[in-house]
Amino acid sequence: MHFNIKLKPISTLRLNIYWFVVFYINIDMLEDFVKNVFILVLKREPFSFLNIFLIVFGALVTVYLMFVKKFDQRFLFLVFFYVLVYVFSIMITPEIVLILSTSIFRGILYVIVVVYLMSLIDDYGKLLSYFVPYIYITVSYALTQMMLHGSSLVKETDYMDFTYNTMLPMLVALAIGLYGKNVSENINRYVSLALFIVLFVFNFLRGGRASILCVGICVLVLLHFQNSSRKILYAVLSVGLGILLYINYDSLLAYLALAFPDSRTIWRLSHNILVDMNTSYRSIMWRYIIESFIKDPFTVRGFLSDRIFLARLFPSASVDGIYGYYAHNLFLEQIFQFGIFAMPFIIGGIIVVIQKFKFLSLKKDYRLTCLFSICIAFSFGQLMVSASYLTAKSFGILLGLMLYMGRSRKGIYYENITDL
C-alpha cells in the first residue's frame, strides 16, 4: 500500500511572503501597540502573547514554507553552524545552560526565523511598499506611548522597547522622503518626511539615543548613493542647520527643558551626560572586555558567556536580570566570546559590507539602495551600542540581506516567490 501525502495546493493556500516578512519583523511594535490600547481603554495590561506567538506560530509558518519551497542551502549551513557553536559553548562554559531562559531562547529563534524568511525574498525593493502601512501604524503607536508616559503600568525602561519598535518604519519614512517616487508611489514624499519627523521627535524626547545614531547613519549612507549636486545641497543644509543650533543651543535647550521636563534626552543634555563614557554600565563592561582581551587574546568562552562573566562586575546583578548583561557592542561581544578567533569573522563581515556598497554604487537600484541603507543603519546603530547580535532582529535582517545580495552578485536566477 502506498501513501501519497500532499500539502494543500499552493493555488488555494496563498501567503504573500513580503507581507508576512514585514508583519513578522514588526510584531514587537504591534504587540506593544495592543498593550497600550488595553491600558488606555481598560486600565490593565493584557496577557503577553508575544513569546508564544513568535515561537509557535512563527515556527509553524517556517516549517510550512520549508515544505512548499526550496530554500537557500547557506541558511541550512548557518543553522548547523549555530547549533554546533552553541554545543561547543556549553562544553566550555556549562553555566550557559542556566541562562537559556524563555526570553533568550525566543530571541535566538527569532533571529534564525527572520534570516530564513528574508532569504526567501527575490526582490528586496518591494519590501519598502509593504512597510508604508506600518509607518502610519507606528505613528499611532507612538501617540499612545506618549499618552501613557508616566503611567504606573508602563516601566521606566520601556523607552528602549519604544526605540526598537519604531526604528524600521521611521527609517523607511526617511528613505522614501529623500528618494520619493523613485522608490515608492504609495505615499507622498513630503508626507513621509513629516511622519519621519514626528517619529524622530517622539524618539528624541523618550530618550532613545540609539535612534539618533541610527538616523545619523541612515542619512550618511543614503547620501553616499546620491549624485554630487544632491550631496552638496544636503551638506550645505546640514552645515547651516548645525550652525543655527550651535548659536542658539543654550536658549533652545532651556526652552526644551521647560517644555518637556520629563524628557530623558533633554535631562541628559542639560546635565552634559548625553554620552556617559565613564560611569555607565556599558563603559565598565567595554573596558573590562578590552583589558581581558589584551591580557589573554586566545581565551574562548562561547555564545552567551558574556552575560555570565559581565554580570559579576556588578554586585546588584541578579539571576533574573542577567539577560541584560551582554557586551552592548557587536565587535566586543564577539571578541569576548571567542577572543582572537573572532577577528576573521569581524574583518570578513566588514569586507562584505564594503563590497555591497561598491556593488550598489554601480547597480543604481534605488529601492535596494534604500533598503540597504535602512538595514545598515538599523543594524550597526543598534548593535554597536545596544542589542546583542545573538538575539536582535536587526542582525537577522542584516544577515538575510547579505545572503540575498550575495546570490544576486553571482547572477543566479531565482523564480518569483511573492505568493506561496
Side-chain angles (χ1 to χ4, degrees):
M1 181 179 294
H2 298 280
F3 293 94
N4 187 15
I5 301 175
K6 297 181 69 175
L7 292 173
K8 192 173 183 179
I10 297 175
S11 60
T12 60
L13 184 59
R14 302 172 70 82
L15 173 67
N16 185 302
I17 192 64
Y18 293 90
W19 175 88
F20 185 75
V21 168
V22 176
F23 167 76
Y24 195 74
I25 61 181
N26 280 289
I27 190 63
D28 300 67
M29 182 269 293
L30 294 173
E31 193 259 355
D32 212 33
F33 191 13
V34 171
K35 185 185 77 172
N36 289 350
V37 173
F38 258 79
I39 295 175
L40 283 171
V41 177
L42 302 176
K43 307 300 180 184
R44 64 182 179 86
E45 188 173 346
F47 172 72
S48 180
F49 62 86
L50 181 60
N51 285 335
I52 295 175
F53 176 85
L54 288 175
I55 293 175
V56 178
F57 181 67
L60 289 176
V61 172
T62 302
V63 170
Y64 163 72
L65 293 175
M66 287 181 175
F67 269 104
V68 300
K69 209 67 188 172
K70 293 181 180 180
F71 45 93
D72 199 326
Q73 292 181 349
R74 290 171 299 174
F75 171 75
L76 277 182
F77 172 78
L78 179 67
V79 173
F80 173 77
F81 178 76
Y82 256 52
V83 172
L84 189 64
V85 175
Y86 268 109
V87 172
F88 177 69
S89 301
I90 292 172
M91 292 173 62
I92 296 175
T93 311
E95 297 97 318
I96 292 174
V97 177
L98 302 177
I99 64 170
L100 281 175
S101 63
T102 303
S103 298
I104 292 180
F105 178 73
R106 169 251 172 184
I108 295 168
L109 182 60
Y110 193 19
V111 171
I112 293 174
V113 173
V114 166
V115 173
Y116 171 69
L117 292 176
M118 299 282 284
S119 72
L120 292 176
I121 297 173
D122 65 332
D123 184 354
Y124 263 59
K126 287 185 180 180
L127 281 176
L128 286 174
S129 298
Y130 286 90
F131 260 105
V132 171
Y134 289 89
I135 298 175
Y136 294 103
I137 295 173
T138 306
V139 171
S140 301
Y141 160 66
L143 288 171
T144 63
Q145 190 75 9
M146 295 301 289
M147 291 170 65
L148 286 172
H149 183 58
S151 170
S152 59
L153 294 174
V154 179
K155 299 177 182 177
E156 184 181 350
T157 56
D158 274 0
Y159 73 89
M160 292 186 290
D161 293 332
F162 176 76
T163 297
Y164 299 157
N165 293 340
T166 57
M167 186 58 59
L168 279 174
M170 180 173 68
L171 295 179
V172 171
L174 172 62
I176 294 176
L178 291 179
Y179 276 79
K181 290 184 179 180
N182 287 326
V183 296
S184 177
E185 295 185 355
N186 295 346
I187 183 173
N188 180 278
R189 67 180 303 181
Y190 299 109
V191 172
S192 186
L193 275 177
L195 295 177
F196 158 73
I197 292 172
V198 170
L199 289 173
F200 181 74
V201 168
F202 280 144
N203 266 280
F204 181 82
L205 295 177
R206 287 290 280 128
R209 290 171 292 174
S211 63
I212 301 173
L213 179 60
C214 287
V215 169
I217 294 174
C218 191
V219 170
L220 290 175
V221 178
L222 286 170
L223 292 183
H224 169 77
F225 295 107
Q226 294 276 8
N227 56 49
S228 299
S229 59
R230 281 279 185 98
K231 289 179 181 179
I232 294 173
L233 174 63
Y234 287 130
V236 171
L237 290 175
S238 299
V239 171
L241 180 61
I243 292 173
L244 286 175
L245 289 176
Y246 178 77
I247 294 174
N248 300 283
Y249 178 78
D250 292 333
S251 58
L252 180 60
L253 184 59
Y255 169 77
L256 291 175
L258 290 174
F260 305 100
D262 296 329
S263 170
R264 184 171 179 268
T265 307
I266 301 301
W267 182 86
R268 281 183 166 272
L269 285 171
S270 301
H271 292 77
N272 295 317
I273 54 171
L274 181 63
V275 180
D276 184 6
M277 296 303 295
N278 295 315
T279 60
S280 69
Y281 276 22
R282 284 185 181 88
S283 302
I284 294 172
M285 291 189 290
W286 289 351
R287 284 197 296 268
Y288 177 76
I289 291 171
I290 294 172
E291 290 170 1
S292 298
F293 178 73
I294 293 174
K295 183 178 179 180
D296 189 357
F298 295 97
T299 298
V300 176
R301 302 176 181 88
F303 279 160
L304 299 174
S305 58
D306 46 324
R307 286 170 165 83
I308 296 170
F309 289 93
L310 295 180
R312 297 172 184 171
L313 298 176
F314 309 99
S316 61
S318 64
V319 176
D320 294 334
I322 201 170
Y323 178 82
Y325 292 95
Y326 51 85
H328 289 77
N329 180 280
L330 172 64
F331 300 143
L332 292 180
E333 186 175 0
Q334 294 181 57
I335 286 174
F336 189 77
Q337 292 171 352
F338 301 102
I340 200 170
F341 302 104
M343 295 305 294
F345 294 95
I346 294 173
I347 296 172
I350 294 173
I351 291 173
V352 167
V353 171
I354 293 173
Q355 288 176 339
K356 304 313 177 191
F357 265 97
K358 294 180 179 179
F359 169 68
L360 281 177
S361 298
L362 299 174
K363 191 174 177 62
K364 301 298 181 184
D365 184 334
Y366 294 117
R367 294 186 306 171
L368 184 57
T369 294
C370 284
L371 198 68
F372 176 82
S373 304
I374 292 164
C375 292
I376 289 294
F378 182 42
S379 301
F380 280 82
Q382 187 184 58
L383 295 171
M384 295 304 291
V385 297
S386 187
S388 166
Y389 76 98
L390 293 173
T391 56
K393 67 181 177 183
S394 57
F395 184 72
I397 291 169
L398 179 64
L399 197 54
L401 178 65
M402 293 299 105
L403 290 176
Y404 167 80
M405 294 183 68
R407 74 185 184 190
S408 297
R409 289 192 67 194
K410 295 176 182 177
I412 301 174
Y413 173 77
Y414 283 79
E415 61 179 309
N416 192 305
I417 55 172
T418 302
D419 293 299
L420 294 176

